Structure formats: C-alpha cells, structure tokens
Amino acid sequence: MRWKNGTIALAVCCASVGAGAHAGPMDGEGAAIPYASPEAALVALRASPHVSERLENDWFALQDHQGHVLWSITAPGNAMYPSMVKRTLVQRDGGVEIGMSIKCGASRQACDTLVQTFQASNDRLRQRLRDTTTAAPPSAAAQPTPTGAADPQR
C-alpha cells in the first residue's frame, strides 16, 4: 500500500500545535532525534529540498515528504523551548503506525504535558488515517506521497 495525498492532507487539516515532553524516544519506530538543539534541527531540515515548513503558535512544523517524517520544533518564545518532536509514519500490516521521539528541555511538568499532548494527537491521527483508509476505494490505495505538515491538536 502506498501513501495517499488525501490521507496526509486530512491529518494536516485536522491538526494544530500543542505543548511540551520529556527527553528520549517514544514508540521506537521514529528512532532518536539526531540533532542537539532546535536550531541545529532547523538548519539541517531547511537544507533539504524535500522538507516543507510553516510557523504556527510558536512551533515550527516541518514535513519531510520523502521520509514521511513530521517534525514539531519549538520557537524560542514557546514555553516548551527548547523541545523537538519527531514523528515517523510507517505502514505496517495494512495499517499506519506512528513512531515518535521527543527531546524536551523545558520543566518536567511541561515536558510531561508535551508527551501527553502528542500521544493524544497521535491517537487522533491514527483514527483519521484508519477512517480514511477504510473509506477509500481500492484504486485510491496506490496513490502518491504525502503533502503538508502535521502538528498535535490542542
């Protein structure tokens, strides 16, 4: 099964930016965040021609269209700064899984809130992807790659 533009666009339309988390990989599939700081991540990601970016509510939302990776990186004015969330969309066994890694430099309480916010956002995203996949006609399953960027809902 290949990625469908409508599926990822739905995730983008239904998402907006949220709050903080504690450091370290979550859910395994996303692998660790290789960047030491939000600034380093932004420099590296902006250098890729496959990455789109937007700024929303003191968060940089970036999507690597080639790797199916969604990044949420705090701007300096954000209460969760310095924090980064990497979410990787992986198709497995006919469904979509979301691997997630988080680096959070905010307070423990803010970081815990960030983790909870992104986990809830991932649950909503999984449900939307499931709903869209089961509602799509069989011929739509072989459509091209995703577009847009996804952020957690508040």
Side-chain angles (χ1 to χ4, degrees):
M1 179 163 91
R2 295 180 62 189
W3 295 96
K4 296 184 291 183
N5 284 334
T7 301
I8 301 305
L10 175 64
V12 173
C13 292
C14 299
S16 64
V17 183
H22 59 289
M26 311 309 290
D27 302 338
E29 193 66 42
I33 294 173
Y35 308 113
S37 69
E39 294 78 16
L42 289 170
V43 167
L45 293 167
R46 287 172 175 159
S48 172
H50 305 287
V51 173
S52 63
E53 173 184 357
R54 73 174 195 254
L55 178 63
E56 185 178 326
N57 300 328
D58 294 330
W59 285 85
F60 294 99
L62 301 102
Q63 181 176 0
D64 178 342
H65 298 279
Q66 195 170 45
H68 308 296
V69 178
L70 309 171
W71 291 89
S72 297
I73 300 173
T74 53
N78 187 302
M80 303 303 156
Y81 182 83
S83 298
M84 301 176 274
V85 179
K86 175 186 176 187
R87 296 188 290 175
T88 307
L89 304 180
V90 179
Q91 292 183 334
R92 182 174 297 145
D93 299 327
V96 176
E97 294 183 16
I98 303 170
M100 183 169 70
S101 296
I102 295 174
K103 283 188 179 180
C104 184
S107 70
R108 176 67 185 197
Q109 181 180 10
C111 291
D112 288 345
T113 299
L114 178 63
V115 170
Q116 293 168 358
T117 300
F118 273 83
Q119 287 173 337
S121 174
N122 288 348
D123 291 343
R124 289 187 299 272
L125 178 56
R126 280 185 199 97
Q127 185 59 49
R128 286 184 188 101
L129 291 171
R130 254 191 313 271
D131 293 348
T132 302
T133 301
T134 56
S139 62
Q143 295 302 313
T145 58
T147 59
D151 306 309
Q153 289 188 350
R154 285 189 182 239

